[in-house]
Amino acid sequence: MKKPSFNRGLPLVLAALLAITGGLRTLADHPPDTIFQTFGYVLDAEGNPVVGVDVVGDDWIGETYPSTTDSNGYYSVIFPAEGNYRIQVNCSQLLQQGYACLPYEAVSPEADPVRHDFIVSAATPLLRITNDALPKAHVGAAYHAQLGAADGQPPYTWQLTHDSPALPPGLSLSAGGVISGSPTTNSLFPIKVQVSDANSVITNKVLFITVNRQPTLLQPIWRTNRFSMRLFAAAGQNYTIQMSTNPSTAGWTSLLVTNNPNSGSYIVFDPHATNANRVYRVVIGPD
């Protein structure tokens, strides 16, 4: 009986493998001086160049290949080998120039350079809170501060965020963005305000309200034709000390304006006093 033979299929399998590996080798082989390049222009909608922005290529796993647009908006990213990459224009730099961010572009450079132009558009303004700081408040004094918003669709509606600390005791926030009242406790109060516009766009911001202690002027002491007195107030706040010989006439004269950034205690002298018939008061400010 003739034994079966398994040798006939082996050359065919080897030939097929050689054909496949040979084909792959042919695709991967490039001249030593081949440049794997993606290039193009970053332009605005009118065709003007966007200058000085980074266009960065990467291999999806961490290796980056940077380029920066020149005066014509031209960029050129060189990759080390053929393959699958992506390129993207630096978002923060686009925003700084007033343009909207762009999505990345997937590219697969081979022996021939790949061109891709980026066309940018003006950034759409986002709803924002315009207050950078709030005026100082003072215990027992009426307070009024208007919150402001821009780049949204009025009318605006205000409230504290759900995770905001409370307003200083004695103050409240209206839906129209007015913080008002008379605070009762001196301290530094952080708050987180939220505004929504007519399109239901929402943004928030952390602000601080400094509530200063109520200034106290101790009983004046008469000595050698002058009054002296002590003022207890807040550090870093302007106070104006005023005098009148007849308060009913509203004739007040400012003696001095003082501000100590490190202490809230002051000794005040009135060297021009000629008699004991004088009334003194403290005015907060000018700020």
Side-chain angles (χ1 to χ4, degrees), residues 40 139 160 209 233:
V139 170
L160 295 180
I209 301 178

Side-chain angles (χ1 to χ4, degrees), residues 231-261:
L231 170 66
F232 288 103
Q237 173 66 50
N238 288 327
Y239 297 95
T240 301
I241 313 302
Q242 295 183 328
M243 176 280 303
S244 178
T245 57
N246 186 3
S248 62
T249 64
W252 292 92
T253 300
S254 294
L255 295 178
L256 61 92
V257 177
T258 184
N259 183 334
N260 188 329

Side-chain angles (χ1 to χ4, degrees), residues 34-105:
T34 298
I35 297 176
F36 303 98
Q37 176 192 30
T38 295
F39 71 97
Y41 294 84
V42 181
L43 308 170
D44 66 17
E46 285 74 39
N48 301 308
V50 180
V51 180
V53 294
D54 295 333
V55 181
V56 179
D58 71 78
D59 62 357
W60 303 83
I61 58 174
E63 291 294 329
T64 59
Y65 312 97
S67 175
T68 303
T69 58
D70 63 14
S71 59
N72 296 313
Y74 176 80
Y75 76 92
S76 175
V77 176
I78 305 299
F79 298 101
E82 69 173 334
N84 296 317
Y85 300 92
R86 61 182 173 181
I87 52 174
Q88 189 165 22
V89 186
N90 185 288
C91 178
S92 62
Q93 293 174 340
L94 287 177
L95 293 175
Q96 290 172 5
Q97 296 195 32
Y99 299 112
C101 294
L102 295 171
Y104 67 80
E105 180 71 16

Side-chain angles (χ1 to χ4, degrees), residues 21-283:
T21 56
L24 290 176
R25 187 163 53 245
T26 301
L27 290 174
D29 285 344
H30 297 287
D33 58 351
T34 298
I35 297 176
F36 303 98
Q37 176 192 30
T38 295
F39 71 97
Y41 294 84
V42 181
L43 308 170
D44 66 17
E46 285 74 39
N48 301 308
V50 180
V51 180
V53 294
D54 295 333
V55 181
V56 179
D58 71 78
D59 62 357
W60 303 83
I61 58 174
E63 291 294 329
T64 59
Y65 312 97
S67 175
T68 303
T69 58
D70 63 14
S71 59
N72 296 313
Y74 176 80
Y75 76 92
S76 175
V77 176
I78 305 299
F79 298 101
E82 69 173 334
N84 296 317
Y85 300 92
R86 61 182 173 181
I87 52 174
Q88 189 165 22
V89 186
N90 185 288
C91 178
S92 62
Q93 293 174 340
L94 287 177
L95 293 175
Q96 290 172 5
Q97 296 195 32
Y99 299 112
C101 294
L102 295 171
Y104 67 80
E105 180 71 16
V107 295
S108 299
E110 297 183 5
D112 295 324
V114 176
R115 175 171 177 169
H116 179 77
D117 295 336
F118 289 97
I119 306 300
V120 299
S121 58
T124 302
L126 299 177
L127 176 64
R128 60 189 176 90
I129 296 171
T130 57
N131 305 80
D132 291 323
L134 293 175
K136 292 179 181 178
H138 305 271
V139 170
Y143 183 79
H144 184 279
Q146 175 66 60
L147 299 175
D151 297 332
Q153 180 62 49
Y156 300 116
T157 302
W158 295 86
Q159 65 183 60
L160 295 180
T161 63
H162 71 279
D163 58 344
S164 172
L167 282 161
L171 297 184
S172 61
L173 171 62
S174 73
V178 176
I179 302 175
S180 60
S182 296
T184 59
T185 305
N186 64 290
S187 187
L188 176 63
F189 295 88
I191 59 173
K192 191 174 183 180
V193 295
Q194 174 181 297
V195 62
S196 59
D197 71 359
N199 295 325
S200 299
V201 178
I202 298 174
T203 190
N204 59 64
K205 190 174 188 178
V206 174
L207 297 170
F208 295 86
I209 301 178
T210 298
V211 181
N212 286 333
R213 62 177 294 176
Q214 187 176 48
T216 301
L217 193 63
L218 298 185
Q219 183 69 31
I221 299 174
W222 173 259
R223 289 180 182 172
T224 318
N225 291 331
R226 75 173 188 179
F227 280 114
S228 66
M229 62 209 82
R230 181 175 289 277
L231 170 66
F232 288 103
Q237 173 66 50
N238 288 327
Y239 297 95
T240 301
I241 313 302
Q242 295 183 328
M243 176 280 303
S244 178
T245 57
N246 186 3
S248 62
T249 64
W252 292 92
T253 300
S254 294
L255 295 178
L256 61 92
V257 177
T258 184
N259 183 334
N260 188 329
N262 301 312
S263 174
S265 179
Y266 309 86
I267 295 292
V268 181
F269 296 102
D270 180 3
H272 305 294
T274 56
N275 55 61
N277 186 27
R278 291 194 169 208
V279 178
Y280 296 92
R281 73 179 183 183
V282 180
V283 178

